[in-house]
Amino acid sequence: MREHAVYNVFTCSIMGSTRVCVQLCVYVAFVAAVVAADQDTSKCLGPLTYYKDLGCTPIYNNEKNNCPKRFNCTHIKQRSKNKCYINGRIYKTEQFLNAEDANVCDISCMCRPAFHTQDQIAAFDCTNSIQCKQIEKKEGCYVRQNPTRCCKSPKQICPLSLDVIPICDVNGQTYLDGEDFKVDEEPDLICICQPGYKGKNVPPFCTKLNHSPCLHPAFSHDDHFRRNCAPVFNDYAENNTCYMMMLCQTPGDVVISKRKLPFTMDDNYTKECDKTKCPGPLAYYKGLGCSPVYEKEGDCCATKYNCDHLKEKDPNKCYVNGKQYEIGEKLKDEDKNPCDIGCTCRAGYGGIAEFSCAIVDCFHGQPNPDCYRQHYPLKCCPGDEVCPENPEDRATCNVNGKEYKEGDYFSIENDPDLTCTCQPDYKGENVEPFCAKPKRPYCDPGFSHSHEIINKCAPVYYPTQSPQTSCNAFSRCQNDNDTVIHEDNPKTRPSPDDEDVCHFGSMVMRRGDELNQDTDYNSICVRCVCEVPPVPTCQRLPYDECDH
């Protein structure tokens, strides 16, 4: 694919039109998609940093492809031109940029309204008085910097000999004091070797930017995306670095195509199918971070999921949001949901590490007639009972054409991960304190039930639950009385090494195979069938069918 892009550039260079050459080169980059942060993107085409800044979603053919085939950016078309957007948050005009969205040199940034032109949008304007001084190094000296400060606070160091220069050992490589380094497992960190570094990638040695250091779209009043402009890089081969400018169409621009480009843009992929009707424990797979595998491109439902990454996890460590925790380490605030109280990584069942948290009892009973309880997405338990003298005084919220009353939960169609509650002053903006995203997936089986994953237990759902969208109620693990009921009479038994099978403990199930019922408490009236490998789908039968 890289040769294809170079070939097009070379062709337009022969034609002698620099403008056409650049336009075509950028076009190839523009239609390629941004790739997931946890994959090797070094050989992928596309303006990777630009699409990451926009928050576009990559679409893959299958889990074997590191580079996506197309992408979805439809959320940008739904944005208001009179608001600022960054990191999934919405700012009104004249609102200052919050600290959690600002980088160290973003001083007094305010969302300013669009200019009076059609192609302008609201954007953040910041104080431009900061000028970082450049230190002219003396011979035999070097500059030590602090990545957590604006301009990095450079300081010139002149050692008596090279032997006294502090060093940092990172990923098997040695760096000298003042040198930048990258951390393999956290590529977004900006790190500089300094005295005292002991392998912990925390301030003042490392910092993670709150937004891209590139020309972030949130800081530009030009509506480049709706105008279908394209980012321009100094070196096309380095398209995962910062872009230098945006290129927009001008009269006389033409497109030269020698062959069909290998990428397509798909703005309507979300309308292709309803995945809630697909078989399998999809919410469980999502919580595990497994990748869907499709029989052919464009299929709605996956035929199986790839969960091989689970084999690489250390049973002596806890995992959340891609981070590792040592046994005895407390859950950090950035990974906590409201009810995650007193959570610590501990050796649990079978010595397998998992988080253990305090049991939170939010008992409050049913509200009295004409009363209600207020709920808050950022709090664990409901608030006090509210009994308005006049029921008409209760605040209402209109969401997606439906009216909710104060205290009610509601969901957002295009952002289902948001937890939202109706509160006074809700104006249709799904931001805090009305809405909040969980800091970790609520349906994460590996958070406090890692032993069930390692022992290949199966998630079980109540009759009224949807395995596609609900967290499992409990799990069924193998016992000595469990057997597999084969859909037919196979001549050969399935092997654990087979790819198209479900695993339950040490047992292997082909598609359509079931487990017998009533072998222990967690299998009473529970039907388990291998639908979408590698995890069986287990659901309790309706109580009118099985009530023992």
Side-chain angles (χ1 to χ4, degrees), residues 14 35 45 107 125 261 354 389 406 414 419 432 503 525 539:
I14 290 178
V35 297
L45 296 176
I107 309 298
D125 291 335
L261 292 172
E354 53 195 21
E389 294 183 4
E406 183 177 357
N414 59 353
T419 299
E432 296 179 0
H503 298 272
C525 297
Q539 192 154 22

Side-chain angles (χ1 to χ4, degrees), residues 161-215:
S161 67
L162 294 177
D163 296 337
V164 299
I165 299 178
I167 62 173
C168 303
D169 187 80
V170 184
N171 301 326
Q173 296 188 28
T174 300
Y175 297 84
L176 297 177
D177 183 18
E179 290 185 337
D180 298 339
F181 65 84
K182 289 287 186 182
V183 181
D184 289 345
E185 58 271 20
E186 292 190 79
D188 290 337
L189 283 179
I190 294 179
C191 301
I192 297 178
C193 180
Q194 301 177 61
Y197 178 78
K198 303 296 183 183
K200 293 186 177 181
N201 304 311
V202 296
F205 312 104
C206 299
T207 186
K208 181 175 286 188
L209 298 179
N210 289 325
H211 66 76
S212 166
C214 301
L215 303 173

Side-chain angles (χ1 to χ4, degrees), residues 55 59 69 72 90 100 104 112 147 167-168 180 326 339 367 369-370 375-376 389 394 398 444 454 465 489 493 506 523:
I59 310 299
K69 188 70 175 179
N72 173 44
I90 305 174
E100 60 264 30
V104 289
R112 297 291 189 183
I167 62 173
C168 303
D180 298 339
E326 301 290 340
C339 287
D370 299 324
H375 297 88
Y376 305 95
E389 294 183 4
R394 187 175 178 181
N398 191 291
D444 180 4
I454 292 178
Q465 286 187 295
N489 294 318
R493 291 191 174 276
S506 61
S523 65

Side-chain angles (χ1 to χ4, degrees), residues 86-113:
I86 188 169
N87 295 341
R89 297 185 179 91
I90 305 174
Y91 288 77
K92 299 178 182 178
T93 54
E94 309 304 322
Q95 186 176 354
F96 280 102
L97 183 67
N98 292 334
E100 60 264 30
D101 294 324
N103 287 339
V104 289
C105 285
D106 292 337
I107 309 298
S108 299
C109 299
M110 177 181 285
C111 180
R112 297 291 189 183

Side-chain angles (χ1 to χ4, degrees), residues 56-285:
C56 299
T57 305
I59 310 299
Y60 300 90
N61 275 351
N62 54 61
E63 84 283 358
K64 295 181 180 179
N65 288 355
N66 278 352
C67 300
K69 188 70 175 179
R70 57 186 185 273
F71 58 88
N72 173 44
C73 297
T74 53
H75 65 288
I76 299 177
K77 296 180 180 179
Q78 300 169 0
R79 291 178 174 178
S80 168
K81 290 189 174 185
N82 299 315
K83 293 183 175 65
C84 298
Y85 299 82
I86 188 169
N87 295 341
R89 297 185 179 91
I90 305 174
Y91 288 77
K92 299 178 182 178
T93 54
E94 309 304 322
Q95 186 176 354
F96 280 102
L97 183 67
N98 292 334
E100 60 264 30
D101 294 324
N103 287 339
V104 289
C105 285
D106 292 337
I107 309 298
S108 299
C109 299
M110 177 181 285
C111 180
R112 297 291 189 183
F115 302 138
H116 298 292
T117 63
Q118 183 178 358
D119 294 326
Q120 296 288 331
I121 56 175
F124 289 104
D125 291 335
C126 306
T127 300
N128 295 321
S129 59
I130 300 175
Q131 294 183 351
C132 297
K133 296 181 180 179
Q134 298 294 325
I135 293 182
E136 186 175 344
K137 292 186 294 183
K138 299 178 182 178
E139 185 176 353
C141 300
Y142 64 92
V143 175
R144 178 183 296 161
Q145 303 179 88
N146 185 336
T148 65
R149 296 183 180 179
C150 185
C151 299
K152 297 184 178 179
S153 300
K155 179 181 179 182
Q156 187 167 223
I157 307 295
C158 300
L160 296 177
S161 67
L162 294 177
D163 296 337
V164 299
I165 299 178
I167 62 173
C168 303
D169 187 80
V170 184
N171 301 326
Q173 296 188 28
T174 300
Y175 297 84
L176 297 177
D177 183 18
E179 290 185 337
D180 298 339
F181 65 84
K182 289 287 186 182
V183 181
D184 289 345
E185 58 271 20
E186 292 190 79
D188 290 337
L189 283 179
I190 294 179
C191 301
I192 297 178
C193 180
Q194 301 177 61
Y197 178 78
K198 303 296 183 183
K200 293 186 177 181
N201 304 311
V202 296
F205 312 104
C206 299
T207 186
K208 181 175 286 188
L209 298 179
N210 289 325
H211 66 76
S212 166
C214 301
L215 303 173
H216 197 289
F219 295 84
S220 173
H221 286 285
D222 293 317
D223 195 1
H224 289 130
F225 182 81
R226 288 187 179 91
R227 294 173 61 194
N228 291 325
C229 303
V232 179
F233 299 85
N234 268 347
D235 183 349
Y236 177 69
E238 297 295 331
N239 54 13
N240 60 343
T241 60
C242 286
Y243 41 97
M244 307 307 297
M245 58 177 289
M246 298 296 295
L247 184 67
C248 300
Q249 184 180 3
T250 62
D253 283 338
V254 296
V255 174
I256 301 172
S257 180
K258 287 293 182 181
R259 65 186 76 172
K260 184 179 179 181
L261 292 172
F263 298 96
T264 58
M265 184 172 180
D266 183 2
D267 280 341
N268 297 314
Y269 87 101
T270 54
K271 300 179 182 178
E272 292 177 358
C273 72
D274 182 2
K275 292 190 179 294
T276 62
K277 297 180 180 178
C278 295
L282 306 191
Y284 187 75
Y285 284 135

